[in-house]
Amino acid sequence: MDKVHVNRLEKFKDILLVVLVFTTILLLYFLWGSKSLESFIFSDDNEHYTVLSSEQVIFPDQIILGKGNGDYIIVTSEKENLWKGQILENFRNMSQDANILVEEITAEKYKAAMSYPSIIAKFAYNMPFNEFCDKYQIKQQQGYDSINDLTEIGFSKGSKESAFIFDGNKKRYYRLVGNKELNIFDQVESLFTQQNLTTYFPLRTFLGEKSTNDTLVPVENSSAMASLTYQKDSQISQKEITEDTAQDYFGGTFDFVRKVEESNGTIIYMYGYGQKVLIINPNEGSIEYKEEIKTNDSEQKNMFECLDTALAFVGSHGDFQTAAGQEIKPYLESASSIDDKKNAYRFVFSFSVGKNKLFYEDKMPIIIEVTGGQVSYFRRELVNFDENQLQKKSGEQGISAINMLAMNYNYILAKTNLLDKLDSQEISFEDTADRIDDLFTGYFRPSVKLSGDENTSGDNQLELIPVWVVEVNGMYLYFDLYDGQPKGYSKAY
C-alpha cells in the first residue's frame, strides 16, 4: 500500500508541475505579447467607480433661443431637458416620416431662417452624422448620407416643418423638410418669457453696418463670479497612493515593470522598452500614461465607440474625481480624429465650476486618445476646490464685454497672429472684433511653475479666476471679468 501511495503522490506532483509550466507560459504570453495592459487588471479596487456612457457627456456647448427680434438668450439650467426631451426627440420623430427632402442651402438662407423665433443646439466639435443617427436611433432617410458632420442642429418658426443642420467641418448648411409641422416651439415657449435671463445680441449690432459677426454678446455682465482658491491633486505624491495608482494601470504585479524616480519627484514606471509608460508628477498633480499601439491589429471603431472606450478607461482609473475624493462635473470640450484616421480619436474633457467652464492655461484636465479599441494616451490633472465658495457674491460690477474688447484689441492682435492674416497694418478695434469666433464667461487656471525648493506648501494661494473668454483664430484669450486685464491665453482644442 505504501508503494501505491508513493506512486500516486509522484503522479500528482508531475501533473501539478505540468500545470504550473503551462500557466507560466500563458502568463508570459500575455505579458510579453501585444496585449494591452488593460487586459490583465488583477485588482478589484476599481469596482466602485461609475463608468459614464457617451450619451452622458455629449451635450451641446450652447442652446440658443432666438426671440425673432434680433435678441437671444442662452439656456443654462434647462439645457439637458431641451437637448434630450425636445431637440433630439423632435428630430427623431421627424425622421420617421417618409420622403424627407434634404437640400443644401446657403449661409444667408440659414441665417434668415434663424432670424425668426428659433432654437439652435451648437456643439464645440463635429460629430459624424451617420454615426450620430445610429447612436440616437434616428432613422436615416434618403439624402442623409450627403451630410458628413453635425455641428449645429436647429429649428425655426419660419419653417415649422424643417430641421436645419450645419456641418462645421465642411462649412455647409442643410435644410431637412418633413411632412408636418413640429411642435417643439409650443413646448419651449415658456423659456422666452422667463425673468432674469441675460439678453444677448450679435456682435455686429455693436460694430456697425460693415460687420457680419454673429457671435453673441451679453448686453451687460450680470454674473457675480468670485475667485476660488484651489489645491493641486497632490495626494498622488504619497508613496502608498502612488503605488496603488500604478497598480491600476499595470495590474497587481510589477515583475516586468521598471521604476525610475527623478530628482524633481517625478516617478516613471516603464514596461518593456517603453511600450507602456506611466508618469506620475506630484509637483503638477498629474498622471500621464502612454502605450504603443500596433495599428495593424487595431479594430475599426467609430467616434462614439472610441468615446465609450475612453470613458471606461477614465472610470477604471480614478473616475471623474480627485485623489481627495472630490467629484467633478465633466463636459466634453473637444472630440477630433487623429491624423484623419477614422478609428483614432482624441477626447479632451474639462469640468464646470458652478455653471461656468474651467480652462487651463497649459493642457486641460483630462486628455485621452483611443486608437481602434485601445487607449494609446491618457493624461489627467485635476484640482480640488470648495464649491461652497461659489456662494460668495462679489460687490464689484464686472466690465462689459464691449469695453473689455476695446481695452485689449491690440493684445488680441498680437497674441493671435491676426496681423499676419490681414492686409493692412492699421487695424482698428472694429476690424479685430469682427474676427472673434466666440465670447463668454468662465474660470481660468493659470499655469503653476515651480522651481528650486518651491513645493506644494503654497497651494492654498492658487486661484481659479473669473474671466471673459475670447476665442479668436484658434486661440483662447482670458481677461479678468472685473478690470478687463489680460490673464493669459491657450490654444483652443
Side-chain angles (χ1 to χ4, degrees):
M1 290 292 294
D2 291 341
K3 185 175 182 180
V4 172
H5 179 73
V6 170
N7 288 338
R8 287 177 177 174
L9 185 60
E10 291 298 324
K11 288 182 179 179
F12 177 76
K13 289 181 178 178
D14 290 342
I15 293 172
L16 182 60
L17 182 61
V18 170
V19 171
L20 290 173
V21 169
F22 274 107
T23 302
T24 302
I25 292 173
L26 288 172
L27 182 59
L28 288 172
Y29 167 76
F30 279 104
L31 286 171
W32 295 104
S34 60
K35 297 290 183 182
S36 166
L37 295 177
E38 290 302 290
S39 303
F40 47 94
I41 298 296
F42 301 110
S43 173
D44 293 326
D45 295 338
N46 295 323
E47 290 183 353
H48 67 280
Y49 291 126
T50 300
V51 176
L52 300 179
S53 67
S54 54
E55 293 96 327
Q56 291 175 283
V57 298
I58 291 180
F59 285 103
D61 185 53
Q62 293 179 334
I63 293 183
I64 301 170
L65 300 181
K67 297 181 181 180
N69 299 316
D71 54 345
Y72 301 82
I73 60 175
I74 296 179
V75 178
T76 53
S77 59
E78 296 292 329
K79 183 188 290 188
E80 183 173 351
N81 290 335
L82 275 177
W83 169 240
K84 291 183 176 180
Q86 304 298 331
I87 298 172
L88 264 181
E89 191 65 23
N90 271 269
F91 187 53
R92 186 183 292 115
N93 292 340
M94 172 187 171
S95 295
Q96 298 300 317
D97 296 340
N99 302 319
I100 289 180
L101 172 65
V102 179
E103 61 173 348
E104 184 174 352
I105 61 176
T106 63
E108 289 72 24
K109 287 186 176 180
Y110 181 87
K111 292 179 180 179
M114 296 308 161
S115 66
Y116 290 86
S118 60
I119 179 170
I120 304 176
K122 299 179 66 173
F123 289 86
Y125 40 85
N126 306 314
M127 293 181 288
F129 185 62
N130 63 329
E131 297 173 14
F132 169 83
C133 291
D134 290 341
K135 184 67 176 179
Y136 291 100
Q137 297 83 49
I138 295 168
K139 181 181 178 182
Q140 296 202 46
Q141 299 279 355
Q142 183 177 1
Y144 277 25
D145 56 357
S146 63
I147 305 173
N148 289 321
D149 292 305
L150 182 146
T151 313
E152 297 179 12
I153 179 170
F155 303 88
S156 168
K157 274 193 173 182
S159 182
K160 294 183 179 180
E161 72 286 355
S162 301
F164 295 84
I165 290 176
F166 172 55
D167 176 350
N169 187 28
K170 299 290 187 181
K171 308 299 182 193
R172 292 178 176 175
Y173 298 84
Y174 299 89
R175 179 187 177 209
L176 284 61
V177 186
N179 302 321
K180 57 181 179 291
E181 291 186 0
L182 303 173
N183 63 354
I184 185 169
F185 292 100
D186 297 335
Q187 301 175 48
V188 301
E189 192 73 38
S190 61
L191 288 172
F192 288 103
T193 60
Q194 286 187 14
Q195 301 298 315
N196 300 321
L197 291 175
T198 302
T199 300
Y200 291 74
F201 287 97
L203 188 53
R204 54 182 163 79
T205 306
F206 303 93
L207 298 181
E209 295 181 357
K210 293 183 178 179
S211 175
T212 58
N213 195 326
D214 288 317
T215 298
L216 294 181
V217 178
V219 175
E220 59 183 13
N221 176 22
S222 59
S223 299
M225 297 167 58
S227 297
L228 283 76
T229 59
Y230 76 91
Q231 292 181 325
K232 291 175 294 180
D233 205 13
S234 56
Q235 279 197 1
I236 61 174
S237 63
Q238 300 177 21
K239 182 176 180 181
E240 63 275 13
I241 295 179
T242 301
E243 295 294 329
D244 289 343
T245 299
Q247 289 188 27
D248 284 345
Y249 294 84
F250 291 89
T253 177
F254 288 101
D255 292 345
F256 300 93
V257 177
R258 289 178 289 159
K259 178 181 177 181
V260 178
E261 296 189 39
E262 298 186 341
S263 58
N264 64 359
T266 299
I267 303 172
I268 301 174
Y269 295 91
M270 185 179 298
Y271 170 80
Y273 295 97
Q275 290 95 332
K276 293 113 180 181
V277 177
L278 179 70
I279 303 171
I280 299 177
N281 189 326
N283 290 328
E284 291 182 344
S286 67
I287 297 171
E288 191 171 16
Y289 171 75
K290 304 174 185 179
E291 179 171 342
E292 290 183 3
I293 305 298
K294 293 184 177 180
T295 54
N296 292 337
D297 299 332
S298 297
E299 300 180 47
Q300 293 293 318
K301 299 287 185 179
N302 65 35
M303 189 198 96
F304 295 94
E305 291 170 328
C306 288
L307 179 55
D308 282 328
T309 298
L311 291 168
F313 191 94
V314 173
S316 62
H317 295 90
D319 203 5
F320 289 102
Q321 66 179 25
T322 67
Q326 179 177 343
E327 294 187 4
I328 66 171
K329 296 174 286 188
Y331 68 87
L332 184 58
E333 168 68 19
S334 172
S336 57
S337 60
I338 302 173
D339 299 328
D340 294 326
K341 296 176 182 176
K342 294 297 183 182
N343 66 329
Y345 282 87
R346 177 184 296 109
F347 302 103
V348 178
F349 291 90
S350 188
F351 57 96
S352 300
V353 179
K355 296 180 180 179
N356 292 276
K357 290 182 174 183
L358 174 64
F359 293 86
Y360 285 17
E361 186 171 19
D362 185 28
K363 301 184 173 65
M364 283 292 265
I366 292 180
I367 303 172
I368 186 165
E369 297 178 1
V370 178
T371 301
Q374 196 170 336
V375 171
S376 56
Y377 179 81
F378 175 63
R379 187 183 189 278
R380 61 180 284 145
E381 184 183 348
L382 305 183
V383 296
N384 294 287
F385 63 94
D386 182 4
E387 284 202 296
N388 290 326
Q389 296 179 70
L390 294 173
Q391 303 299 323
K392 298 178 181 178
K393 299 296 183 182
S394 172
E396 297 179 70
Q397 179 65 40
I399 188 172
S400 71
I402 294 300
N403 287 339
M404 176 273 298
L405 292 175
M407 281 177 55
N408 293 290
Y409 82 91
N410 283 319
Y411 177 86
I412 294 172
L413 279 172
K415 297 301 181 184
T416 57
N417 298 319
L418 281 179
L419 285 174
D420 297 335
K421 293 180 172 290
L422 302 175
D423 296 332
S424 173
Q425 296 301 305
E426 295 295 329
I427 308 300
S428 67
F429 158 67
E430 289 78 10
D431 292 329
T432 305
D434 204 32
R435 285 158 178 82
I436 290 174
D437 299 310
D438 208 349
L439 188 152
F440 49 91
T441 60
Y443 275 95
F444 174 57
R445 195 204 81 159
S447 293
V448 179
K449 295 179 174 61
L450 299 178
S451 60
D453 296 328
E454 291 177 326
N455 53 41
T456 57
S457 62
D459 283 357
N460 288 329
Q461 304 303 314
L462 302 175
E463 283 190 328
L464 305 179
I465 305 169
V467 292
W468 283 110
V469 184
V470 181
E471 183 180 357
V472 186
N473 197 26
M475 298 288 294
Y476 286 134
L477 300 101
Y478 309 99
F479 303 93
D480 189 280
L481 192 64
Y482 294 98
D483 63 21
Q485 294 300 311
K487 291 298 181 181
Y489 57 92
S490 65
K491 182 178 178 182
Y493 282 91

